[in-house]
Amino acid sequence: MRAAPRAASASPPERAAANVLERLPASRRLRSPAQFVAVTSDPQALRAGRRWLSIVSRMRADADAAPVRFGFTASRRHARRSIDRNTAKRVLREAARRHIAELDAAAGGRSVDVVLRLKAAAPAAEALSRSDWKAALRSEADALLAQLAQRLRGGGDAR
């Protein structure tokens, strides 16, 4: 039995190659559960939240590493379907890539770990369309990362 011919890729090869260059490097990611716990359990961490997302960040002692590292979580409790969890994390990674230069400058030589977390249940398709949900996640992630940059510069309140 012969296999059916493969469909053409949805994205042109040059666009796919460009996306590889825009990836968040492994040195900029929180990788182990211990790193996530260190950020989220720190009582002096900076915390903020919106409708869908929350952010927690803390200063690290080792200044030799990357200035800002990111971690992203979307639990099954808040997004039952894997496609929703992956979409949320994809949107959060995209926002982190857009704000990485701003956060590096705001950190001013300090090392900062940041965890962005989906904190509310993904909406049902009848309540909110997928594209509207993604747009809401993008705007909240952008606002939270801009707020963090302001706090790192010393322009925001301590809470």
Side-chain angles (χ1 to χ4, degrees):
M1 192 157 118
R2 295 186 59 147
R6 297 178 97 186
S9 175
S11 61
E14 58 276 358
R15 183 170 173 213
N19 286 343
V20 171
L21 298 175
E22 295 174 11
R23 291 182 63 174
L24 197 60
S27 63
R28 295 293 196 136
R29 301 277 308 271
L30 298 178
R31 308 298 281 179
S32 71
Q35 292 171 330
F36 281 86
V37 169
V39 175
T40 57
S41 65
D42 186 356
Q44 297 175 345
L46 298 174
R47 299 171 193 276
R50 299 281 172 122
R51 163 73 176 96
W52 300 104
L53 302 173
S54 68
I55 189 170
V56 181
S57 64
R58 76 171 185 114
M59 305 300 170
R60 285 191 328 266
D62 59 337
D64 298 338
V68 180
R69 295 188 308 178
F70 296 94
F72 312 99
T73 64
S75 69
R76 190 177 292 157
R77 175 182 172 202
H78 294 116
R80 286 302 293 164
R81 299 179 338 148
S82 63
I83 190 168
D84 294 332
R85 292 190 301 276
N86 292 335
T87 297
K89 289 189 281 188
R90 189 175 300 119
V91 169
L92 297 178
R93 281 193 304 268
E94 177 185 323
R97 280 192 299 268
R98 281 196 308 265
H99 288 270
I100 199 163
E102 177 187 9
L103 289 170
D104 282 349
R110 298 172 289 183
S111 295
V112 181
D113 286 343
V114 179
V115 173
L116 285 160
R117 179 177 68 91
L118 182 66
K119 73 171 194 172
E126 304 83 39
L128 188 66
S129 73
R130 185 170 189 75
S131 60
D132 289 343
W133 184 57
K134 285 171 64 174
L137 288 176
R138 278 188 202 106
S139 67
E140 284 191 12
D142 288 340
L144 287 170
L145 290 170
Q147 182 180 355
L148 174 62
Q150 182 180 6
R151 285 183 177 181
L152 289 173
R153 281 189 213 98
D157 59 351
R159 177 106 179 122

